[in-house]
Amino acid sequence: MKGVEQAMNPVVGTAERTPRSGPAERRAGLRPDGTTPRVTKRRAETRGRLMQAATTLFAERGFGQVSIEQICEAAGYTRGAFYSNFDSVDELFFALYQERAVVIAEQVARSLAAGGPAGSIPALVDRVVAALMVDRQWIMIKTDFLLHAARSREVAAVLAAHHDELREALAAHLSTVVDVDGLPPPLRTPDGLARAVGTIHDGAMLQLLLDPDEAALRRWLRVLLIALLDHSADHREEPVPQRPATVRRTG
C-alpha cells in the first residue's frame, strides 16, 4: 500500500526524500519531528479559496490555460500562499479530485446502505442516481485534465491511482448489495463490477458536455445501471427514455 499512498499524494513521496524541516513537510502540514499539527482555520480558508478560484478558472479557460499567478490573483493571495499549500497546479487539481471523490463515495455509500442488503436493485439505483452529484463544470475540468494526463506518464500514473482508490471503495459497497451470479464472468468480481459501473457513470456524465439536461442524464443513467445490475424480469418492459432529435438548419 505504501506505493499507492505515494501516488495518491505527491507530497508524501517528496517528503520521504527530504529533511524533516523541508518545504515538502510544510506543504503537507508536518512539524519538524514529522507529527501533524492542528490545521488552523486560516490555513483551511486559504486552501479552500485557492481551490475554488482554480475551479472557476479551469472551467472558464481550460486546465492547461491557467497559471499559478492567475489562481493567486483570483483568490486574492500571493504566490507564497499558493506554494505553502501546493507544489504545482497539478497537485492542486489532485486535491480537487480527491475532494470530489470523497463526496461521491459518501453519496454512494449512504444510498446503498439506506435500503439494506435485501432492497431491490431498481430502488437501490433510484437512490444512488437521485443522490449523485451532477456537475457539468467539474466534468469539463476533469476531461481537460484527462487529456493533460494522457500526455504525461507521471501524471497519468497518479490519476490512475486516484481512479483505483475510488473503484476499490465502490467495489466494497457493491459486493454487499448486488447478486453477481447472473452477470458475465468478467463482471462477477467486485473489481470487475465496479469497473463496469464506473464506465457507465463516466460515459453518461460526458453527455453533459453537449447536452446540459441533467434530468435526462439521470434517467438514462438509471436505465443503464439497472440493465447492468438487475437480472429480474420486472423492469424489462420499462420504456427507454428518448432524447429529442436535434435538427440543425443551415444557410
Side-chain angles (χ1 to χ4, degrees), residues 182-209:
L183 296 174
L187 304 183
R188 291 177 187 170
T189 65
D191 181 74
L193 184 57
R195 285 179 183 272
V197 170
T199 298
I200 289 174
H201 170 270
D202 291 347
M205 289 299 172
L206 286 177
Q207 295 296 319
L208 281 180
L209 299 182

Short mmCIF file of all heavy atoms in Angstrom, two decimals, residues 182-209:
data_model
loop_
_atom_site.label_atom_id
_atom_site.label_comp_id
_atom_site.label_asym_id
_atom_site.label_seq_id
_atom_site.Cartn_x
_atom_site.Cartn_y
_atom_site.Cartn_z
N GLY A 182 -25.76 -13.70 -12.04
CA GLY A 182 -26.33 -13.57 -13.38
C GLY A 182 -25.50 -12.73 -14.33
O GLY A 182 -25.88 -12.55 -15.49
N LEU A 183 -24.37 -12.24 -13.86
CA LEU A 183 -23.53 -11.38 -14.69
C LEU A 183 -22.55 -12.21 -15.51
O LEU A 183 -22.22 -13.35 -15.16
CB LEU A 183 -22.74 -10.41 -13.81
CG LEU A 183 -23.56 -9.38 -13.02
CD1 LEU A 183 -22.64 -8.60 -12.09
CD2 LEU A 183 -24.30 -8.45 -13.95
N PRO A 184 -22.03 -11.66 -16.61
CA PRO A 184 -20.96 -12.33 -17.35
C PRO A 184 -19.76 -12.55 -16.43
O PRO A 184 -19.52 -11.74 -15.53
CB PRO A 184 -20.63 -11.36 -18.48
CG PRO A 184 -21.86 -10.52 -18.63
CD PRO A 184 -22.44 -10.40 -17.26
N PRO A 185 -18.99 -13.61 -16.64
CA PRO A 185 -17.86 -13.93 -15.75
C PRO A 185 -16.93 -12.76 -15.43
O PRO A 185 -16.54 -12.60 -14.27
CB PRO A 185 -17.14 -15.06 -16.49
CG PRO A 185 -18.23 -15.74 -17.25
CD PRO A 185 -19.17 -14.65 -17.68
N PRO A 186 -16.54 -11.92 -16.40
CA PRO A 186 -15.61 -10.83 -16.05
C PRO A 186 -16.18 -9.82 -15.06
O PRO A 186 -15.42 -9.05 -14.46
CB PRO A 186 -15.34 -10.15 -17.41
CG PRO A 186 -15.65 -11.19 -18.43
CD PRO A 186 -16.79 -11.96 -17.86
N LEU A 187 -17.51 -9.82 -14.89
CA LEU A 187 -18.13 -8.84 -14.00
C LEU A 187 -18.53 -9.43 -12.66
O LEU A 187 -19.16 -8.74 -11.84
CB LEU A 187 -19.38 -8.24 -14.67
CG LEU A 187 -19.18 -7.60 -16.04
CD1 LEU A 187 -20.49 -6.99 -16.53
CD2 LEU A 187 -18.09 -6.54 -16.00
N ARG A 188 -18.18 -10.67 -12.40
CA ARG A 188 -18.60 -11.31 -11.16
C ARG A 188 -17.68 -11.01 -9.98
O ARG A 188 -18.00 -11.35 -8.84
CB ARG A 188 -18.70 -12.83 -11.37
CG ARG A 188 -19.85 -13.21 -12.29
CD ARG A 188 -19.89 -14.70 -12.55
NE ARG A 188 -20.89 -15.02 -13.57
CZ ARG A 188 -21.01 -16.22 -14.14
NH1 ARG A 188 -20.21 -17.21 -13.77
NH2 ARG A 188 -21.93 -16.41 -15.07
N THR A 189 -16.55 -10.38 -10.22
CA THR A 189 -15.68 -9.97 -9.12
C THR A 189 -16.05 -8.55 -8.72
O THR A 189 -16.55 -7.77 -9.54
CB THR A 189 -14.21 -10.01 -9.54
OG1 THR A 189 -13.99 -9.03 -10.58
CG2 THR A 189 -13.83 -11.39 -10.07
N PRO A 190 -15.81 -8.17 -7.47
CA PRO A 190 -16.11 -6.79 -7.06
C PRO A 190 -15.40 -5.76 -7.93
O PRO A 190 -15.99 -4.74 -8.30
CB PRO A 190 -15.61 -6.74 -5.61
CG PRO A 190 -15.74 -8.16 -5.13
CD PRO A 190 -15.39 -9.00 -6.32
N ASP A 191 -14.15 -6.03 -8.29
CA ASP A 191 -13.40 -5.07 -9.11
C ASP A 191 -13.99 -4.97 -10.51
O ASP A 191 -14.15 -3.87 -11.05
CB ASP A 191 -11.93 -5.47 -9.19
CG ASP A 191 -11.11 -4.49 -10.01
OD1 ASP A 191 -10.84 -3.38 -9.51
OD2 ASP A 191 -10.74 -4.83 -11.16
N GLY A 192 -14.32 -6.11 -11.11
CA GLY A 192 -14.89 -6.09 -12.45
C GLY A 192 -16.21 -5.37 -12.51
O GLY A 192 -16.48 -4.59 -13.43
N LEU A 193 -17.05 -5.60 -11.49
CA LEU A 193 -18.35 -4.93 -11.46
C LEU A 193 -18.18 -3.42 -11.25
O LEU A 193 -18.86 -2.61 -11.88
CB LEU A 193 -19.21 -5.53 -10.34
CG LEU A 193 -20.64 -4.99 -10.23
CD1 LEU A 193 -21.40 -5.17 -11.54
CD2 LEU A 193 -21.37 -5.69 -9.08
N ALA A 194 -17.27 -3.05 -10.36
CA ALA A 194 -17.03 -1.63 -10.11
C ALA A 194 -16.50 -0.94 -11.36
O ALA A 194 -16.85 0.21 -11.63
CB ALA A 194 -16.05 -1.46 -8.95
N ARG A 195 -15.66 -1.62 -12.12
CA ARG A 195 -15.16 -1.05 -13.38
C ARG A 195 -16.32 -0.79 -14.35
O ARG A 195 -16.36 0.25 -15.02
CB ARG A 195 -14.14 -1.98 -14.01
CG ARG A 195 -12.77 -1.99 -13.34
CD ARG A 195 -11.82 -2.96 -14.02
NE ARG A 195 -10.54 -3.03 -13.34
CZ ARG A 195 -9.51 -2.21 -13.60
NH1 ARG A 195 -9.62 -1.29 -14.55
NH2 ARG A 195 -8.38 -2.32 -12.94
N ALA A 196 -17.23 -1.75 -14.43
CA ALA A 196 -18.36 -1.61 -15.36
C ALA A 196 -19.26 -0.44 -14.94
O ALA A 196 -19.67 0.37 -15.77
CB ALA A 196 -19.17 -2.90 -15.41
N VAL A 197 -19.54 -0.35 -13.65
CA VAL A 197 -20.38 0.75 -13.15
C VAL A 197 -19.69 2.09 -13.38
O VAL A 197 -20.31 3.07 -13.81
CB VAL A 197 -20.69 0.56 -11.65
CG1 VAL A 197 -21.36 1.81 -11.08
CG2 VAL A 197 -21.59 -0.65 -11.45
N GLY A 198 -18.38 2.14 -13.12
CA GLY A 198 -17.63 3.37 -13.33
C GLY A 198 -17.61 3.79 -14.79
O GLY A 198 -17.72 4.99 -15.10
N THR A 199 -17.51 2.82 -15.68
CA THR A 199 -17.51 3.12 -17.11
C THR A 199 -18.85 3.70 -17.55
O THR A 199 -18.92 4.68 -18.31
CB THR A 199 -17.20 1.86 -17.92
OG1 THR A 199 -15.89 1.38 -17.59
CG2 THR A 199 -17.25 2.14 -19.42
N ILE A 200 -19.94 3.12 -17.06
CA ILE A 200 -21.27 3.64 -17.38
C ILE A 200 -21.44 5.05 -16.83
O ILE A 200 -21.93 5.95 -17.52
CB ILE A 200 -22.36 2.70 -16.82
CG1 ILE A 200 -22.40 1.40 -17.63
CG2 ILE A 200 -23.73 3.38 -16.84
CD1 ILE A 200 -23.34 0.37 -17.07
N HIS A 201 -21.03 5.25 -15.59
CA HIS A 201 -21.16 6.57 -14.97
C HIS A 201 -20.37 7.61 -15.74
O HIS A 201 -20.88 8.68 -16.09
CB HIS A 201 -20.68 6.50 -13.53
CG HIS A 201 -20.54 7.84 -12.86
ND1 HIS A 201 -19.37 8.58 -12.91
CD2 HIS A 201 -21.42 8.58 -12.16
CE1 HIS A 201 -19.54 9.71 -12.27
NE2 HIS A 201 -20.77 9.74 -11.79
N ASP A 202 -19.10 7.33 -16.03
CA ASP A 202 -18.25 8.31 -16.71
C ASP A 202 -18.76 8.61 -18.12
O ASP A 202 -18.76 9.76 -18.56
CB ASP A 202 -16.81 7.81 -16.77
CG ASP A 202 -16.15 7.77 -15.39
OD1 ASP A 202 -16.72 8.35 -14.44
OD2 ASP A 202 -15.08 7.15 -15.26
N GLY A 203 -19.20 7.57 -18.81
CA GLY A 203 -19.71 7.77 -20.16
C GLY A 203 -20.98 8.60 -20.17
O GLY A 203 -21.16 9.49 -21.01
N ALA A 204 -21.87 8.34 -19.22
CA ALA A 204 -23.11 9.11 -19.14
C ALA A 204 -22.82 10.57 -18.80
O ALA A 204 -23.43 11.48 -19.37
CB ALA A 204 -24.05 8.49 -18.11
N MET A 205 -21.90 10.78 -17.88
CA MET A 205 -21.58 12.15 -17.47
C MET A 205 -21.03 12.98 -18.63
O MET A 205 -21.25 14.20 -18.69
CB MET A 205 -20.58 12.14 -16.31
CG MET A 205 -21.16 11.67 -15.00
SD MET A 205 -22.51 12.73 -14.42
CE MET A 205 -23.13 11.78 -13.04
N LEU A 206 -20.32 12.36 -19.53
CA LEU A 206 -19.78 13.09 -20.67
C LEU A 206 -20.86 13.70 -21.54
O LEU A 206 -20.62 14.66 -22.28
CB LEU A 206 -18.88 12.18 -21.52
CG LEU A 206 -17.51 11.84 -20.93
CD1 LEU A 206 -16.77 10.87 -21.83
CD2 LEU A 206 -16.68 13.10 -20.71
N GLN A 207 -22.08 13.14 -21.47
CA GLN A 207 -23.18 13.70 -22.25
C GLN A 207 -23.49 15.14 -21.85
O GLN A 207 -24.02 15.92 -22.64
CB GLN A 207 -24.44 12.83 -22.07
CG GLN A 207 -24.32 11.43 -22.63
CD GLN A 207 -24.15 11.42 -24.14
OE1 GLN A 207 -24.80 12.20 -24.84
NE2 GLN A 207 -23.27 10.58 -24.64
N LEU A 208 -23.15 15.49 -20.60
CA LEU A 208 -23.41 16.84 -20.14
C LEU A 208 -22.62 17.89 -20.91
O LEU A 208 -23.00 19.06 -20.95
CB LEU A 208 -23.07 16.97 -18.66
CG LEU A 208 -24.08 16.43 -17.65
CD1 LEU A 208 -23.56 16.64 -16.24
CD2 LEU A 208 -25.43 17.08 -17.81
N LEU A 209 -21.51 17.49 -21.51
CA LEU A 209 -20.70 18.45 -22.26
C LEU A 209 -21.45 18.95 -23.49
O LEU A 209 -21.22 20.08 -23.95
CB LEU A 209 -19.38 17.82 -22.67
CG LEU A 209 -18.48 17.36 -21.52
CD1 LEU A 209 -17.18 16.79 -22.07
CD2 LEU A 209 -18.20 18.50 -20.54
#
